[in-house]
Amino acid sequence: MPRPRKLYDAAALAEERGFLEEFPQTLVDSNPWAGLSVPTKEIYELLLSRWEEYLSKYVPNGVPAGQAPDIDRLKHFMKWLAFSIRGVLDEQPTIASLLTCWARFSTYITEILPTQTNVLNIQKEQGTVAPQDRSDLLESIWKEDIHTYPHPRLLVSISAFWILVWCTAARVGTALESNCYRGSNQALRYKDLKIMVVSGSTPQEGTILLCAVQFSWQKGQRENRNSALPELEFKTKLKNLKKGVVLNSRAPTPPFYEPEKLCDNFLLYIFAHALADDAFKTIRSVQDVSNLQPPPGRNALELNWKETALELPVFRMVTPERVTDNALSVGALYTFLHGHQDRFGYMKHVTIHAVRRHAGTVLDGITTEAARMHHMGQKSKPIFSDCYVDNVPHFDLQAAIFSEESHLDDISQLRRLGNYRDTRLPTDLSAEEERKFNQMPEVATLNNEIQTLTAADDIKHNKKLYQHRQELYSKKARLRKAAVDELRQRCFDGDSVYTPLLEANQQLRKETLAVVMKLLPERDRLSRMLFTKAKIRSEAGTQALTDLATLCAQGDHARVLYRPGESPINGHCPICDKAMLE
């Protein structure tokens, strides 16, 4: 049996055979596909010919210039490749051969293509956050947000999700329905939450509420992963163990307890969701929560879920009429989060990846490297140094040199995205900017084409015309967003021309907020109580839980304002008992 060739030997052999004149040294030093032969011009030309063959068959018009193929297109290409190539085992391709093709294709993209085109071989700036950003986000939701959401439950769900991510470093797809598994309804369920009432260590401490979270839908650890290929799964694990690779699993998430402020209390939001969904077996009201105590002779009591609620996602999609049984999707959440941050003047969005990066940095300072990797679900050590280290140092060298006290809290302000925020920024074009936008030649052409298509008689029945019009709408929306972003940047840069616009926006928001708080007493009370230091079973906590559960449980009258005591009961007027729709 011949000895396996080293990569350096393979590179020398490739140069001897005249394949690639300049073999990338970075690939020699660290090759993730060490078992592959050296990439050659012939291999690249073969792969490119297969790609061109695929495009000619399935994309006859070609990929638009300047537009990269999306991930679905690449997946379909690999599927087509699997059916079209021949292997040495019964003329059928193997998984290894497909991975080899893909590895060589990706090597061409990362190593060769950037030297021949203007493709940028750099990473975007790593986003950062500071602890103050969490407070800013929660305060903007409950104290300043005047946006009309499809359902007020979203306010509670978004707040709970932020606390969940900040305290667990969870990936967004573990708690919500991932975009890669659309329609699966795989998200954080009630059965994944274990809530317990535990006696305190001292009589003065009373009882303590704890909530343990078990993420069932980990990246690479989903329950249905490789269900048809158990042997392959075993071999993959064995191979990783031999290589010393940390498997993509996470340590049990540390349980949630009650922090000082109600706004940071994950248990408060979970109780509000569960009461609105009637998910507990024995708890029906806020008063039942206040009376929770372990039974005589026991130190703890675990709260049980109803059988009908076990598989129910905690964070769910909503409509103005009701809360559905479908899990809230990642795409829908990003729509709400980005819209909320745009309304409050964020020039840079607080992303889930930035929050995970912050949590990873905190873990790096309080635990071992192995424990950090295990909790973050990272397979290899370079991932943290490449993707989870920001440009702001986590030490104070100046204080050490001058023998002074550390100013790390001041240095951390450089990570705060609130530094790039102006609450007066507009979220849409002003009348003058709207006029200039519609006079742009490209926009005027789009408006004419859209008007022509809309006037067509068969637009409703002709699918191609309808899709073409939707593409024009999307193109116009992108141009409009670019114009809004440019306007916001000019305002943020301090252009004095827009000072009256900013002052008008600030005054309008202030007046509208006063009206909202007057018409929605629950919002008014929550804007004050959530930011006090209290526990759930205190007077302030009980009132906050009552108001949060009320927001979560609002039904077909979620977007209709009623005076106190006049909200519909089972679709009927509480005074005359007549059906509201009559």
Side-chain angles (χ1 to χ4, degrees):
M1 180 176 180
R3 66 177 180 87
R5 289 182 301 182
K6 294 182 179 180
L7 191 58
Y8 295 98
D9 298 337
L13 183 60
E15 183 177 0
E16 178 183 345
R17 294 178 178 177
F19 288 151
L20 287 183
E21 296 179 359
E22 295 181 2
F23 185 73
Q25 185 64 30
T26 55
L27 195 61
V28 175
D29 296 336
S30 58
N31 181 22
W33 305 92
L36 299 183
S37 60
V38 178
T40 66
K41 288 182 179 179
E42 294 180 0
I43 291 178
Y44 290 145
E45 291 174 357
L46 174 62
L47 287 171
L48 289 179
S49 66
R50 302 310 299 270
W51 174 250
E52 292 173 358
E53 180 183 352
Y54 166 79
L55 290 179
S56 64
K57 186 172 183 179
Y58 292 99
V59 192
N61 296 328
V63 179
Q67 179 179 339
D70 55 23
I71 189 64
D72 291 332
R73 176 64 62 194
L74 293 176
K75 288 180 180 179
H76 190 255
F77 168 63
M78 291 305 298
K79 184 177 179 180
W80 171 81
L81 199 63
F83 284 102
S84 61
I85 65 177
R86 291 185 176 183
V88 296
L89 300 177
D90 299 327
E91 296 294 319
Q92 295 295 321
T94 62
I95 292 179
S97 63
L98 287 175
L99 287 176
T100 299
C101 291
W102 180 253
R104 286 170 173 160
F105 195 66
S106 62
T107 303
Y108 171 77
I109 295 174
T110 57
E111 300 292 342
I112 305 301
L113 199 58
T115 64
Q116 300 175 348
T117 63
N118 58 350
V119 177
L120 297 179
N121 193 19
I122 59 176
Q123 290 183 342
K124 66 178 182 180
E125 180 183 356
Q126 301 288 358
T128 60
V129 292
Q132 296 89 339
D133 287 318
R134 185 192 73 256
S135 301
D136 291 344
L137 287 169
L138 292 176
E139 287 187 8
S140 63
I141 289 174
W142 294 107
K143 290 186 176 182
E144 306 173 45
D145 202 348
I146 59 176
H147 179 66
T148 303
Y149 288 87
H151 196 283
R153 181 184 175 115
L154 280 174
L155 291 168
V156 188
S157 296
I158 291 174
S159 301
F161 180 79
W162 274 126
I163 301 300
L164 180 69
V165 173
W166 277 89
C167 296
T168 64
R171 292 182 174 91
V172 63
T174 60
L176 308 180
E177 183 183 84
S178 171
N179 290 336
C180 298
Y181 297 90
R182 293 178 181 174
S184 64
N185 218 31
Q186 295 176 353
L188 184 69
R189 302 156 295 185
Y190 280 113
K191 75 174 186 179
D192 299 324
L193 304 175
K194 182 179 180 180
I195 301 179
M196 298 192 69
V197 186
V198 183
S199 299
S201 56
T202 61
Q204 294 79 8
E205 197 172 2
T207 56
I208 303 171
L209 291 174
L210 297 175
C211 177
V213 180
Q214 178 63 47
F215 293 110
S216 300
W217 312 112
Q218 300 285 351
K219 181 179 180 180
Q221 294 285 314
R222 296 195 173 246
E223 293 177 353
N224 61 347
R225 67 194 188 285
N226 291 331
S227 58
L229 301 171
E231 183 180 356
L232 174 64
E233 181 183 5
F234 172 76
K235 290 182 178 179
T236 302
K237 289 183 177 181
L238 184 61
K239 185 178 180 181
N240 288 334
L241 287 173
K242 289 181 178 179
K243 289 183 177 181
V245 176
V246 177
L247 295 180
N248 190 14
S249 59
R250 286 171 59 117
T253 303
F256 285 92
Y257 54 87
E258 294 195 73
E260 288 186 349
K261 291 185 179 181
L262 287 172
C263 63
D264 295 329
N265 197 324
F266 180 71
L267 278 154
L268 176 68
Y269 300 120
I270 292 301
F271 272 117
H273 283 85
L275 289 175
D277 295 334
D278 192 22
F280 290 113
K281 274 188 177 181
T282 57
I283 299 177
R284 296 289 185 272
S285 64
V286 176
Q287 189 61 39
D288 293 338
V289 177
S290 301
N291 297 334
L292 283 174
Q293 294 288 340
R298 293 177 55 182
N299 293 325
L301 169 66
E302 181 178 351
L303 306 185
N304 296 319
W305 305 106
K306 289 183 176 179
E307 292 294 333
T308 55
L310 290 176
E311 298 292 337
L312 194 64
V314 179
F315 308 120
R316 305 205 296 281
M317 300 290 284
V318 297
T319 67
E321 292 76 24
R322 66 187 184 92
V323 179
T324 71
D325 292 339
N326 300 325
L328 183 66
S329 66
V330 173
L333 176 78
Y334 281 154
T335 299
F336 296 129
L337 294 186
H338 292 171
H340 167 257
Q341 294 178 43
D342 287 342
R343 290 190 297 275
F344 288 95
Y346 280 91
M347 296 299 294
K348 295 183 178 180
H349 288 155
V350 180
T351 64
I352 307 301
H353 293 291
V355 175
R356 271 179 54 83
R357 192 173 296 111
H358 171 73
T361 303
V362 173
L363 284 171
D364 193 47
I366 63 177
T367 187
T368 63
E369 181 182 55
R372 185 204 69 221
M373 292 174 61
H374 194 58
H375 182 83
M376 298 288 291
Q378 296 168 346
K379 288 186 175 181
S380 60
K381 296 178 181 180
I383 293 179
F384 183 80
S385 58
D386 293 344
C387 304
Y388 286 83
V389 177
D390 53 51
N391 296 326
V392 182
H394 294 269
F395 54 86
D396 189 352
L397 181 60
Q398 178 178 328
I401 292 177
F402 295 156
S403 300
E404 298 178 348
E405 293 184 0
S406 176
H407 291 73
L408 282 178
D409 291 340
D410 298 334
I411 295 176
S412 68
Q413 292 294 323
L414 295 175
R415 301 186 185 89
R416 187 177 181 181
L417 290 184
N419 299 333
Y420 307 95
R421 176 189 178 195
D422 187 343
T423 57
R424 305 172 301 165
L425 292 182
T427 57
D428 204 350
L429 298 176
S430 61
E432 178 64 20
E433 297 294 330
E434 181 78 27
R435 182 184 62 81
K436 294 179 180 179
F437 174 74
N438 288 323
Q439 289 179 350
M440 292 172 56
E442 189 174 1
V443 176
T445 302
L446 287 174
N447 286 334
N448 292 334
E449 293 182 9
I450 292 173
Q451 186 177 0
T452 302
L453 290 173
T454 305
D457 296 335
D458 58 342
I459 183 65
K460 295 182 180 180
H461 307 288
N462 192 320
K463 186 176 180 180
K464 290 186 177 180
L465 288 180
Y466 180 81
Q467 290 180 345
H468 182 52
R469 187 180 66 171
Q470 294 304 111
E471 292 174 359
L472 297 179
Y473 276 132
S474 299
K475 187 174 182 180
K476 181 181 176 181
R478 288 193 294 270
L479 293 175
R480 186 182 185 85
K481 185 180 183 304
V484 173
D485 291 343
E486 183 181 354
L487 173 62
R488 286 166 60 88
Q489 187 64 55
R490 291 200 300 266
C491 293
F492 188 79
D493 291 340
D495 194 333
S496 58
V497 175
Y498 300 102
T499 300
L501 174 63
L502 299 181
E503 294 177 351
N505 283 340
Q506 186 178 27
Q507 184 63 24
L508 177 62
R509 178 171 294 177
K510 184 178 179 180
E511 295 175 354
T512 307
L513 181 63
V515 174
V516 170
M517 293 303 179
K518 185 176 181 179
L519 294 175
L520 299 175
E522 296 89 357
R523 287 285 308 276
D524 186 28
R525 288 191 294 267
L526 288 170
S527 66
R528 292 179 277 107
M529 292 183 179
L530 282 178
F531 301 92
T532 60
K533 293 183 179 181
K535 304 296 183 182
I536 292 178
R537 290 173 288 180
S538 64
E539 182 179 354
T542 301
Q543 183 61 59
L545 178 56
T546 302
D547 291 334
L548 289 172
T550 301
L551 294 179
C552 288
Q554 287 185 7
D556 55 0
H557 60 288
R559 298 181 70 174
V560 180
L561 296 177
Y562 294 95
R563 290 182 294 187
E566 296 185 4
S567 298
I569 299 177
N570 296 326
H572 289 72
C573 174
I575 299 175
C576 63
D577 200 34
K578 288 186 178 180
M580 298 295 291
L581 297 180
E582 289 185 0

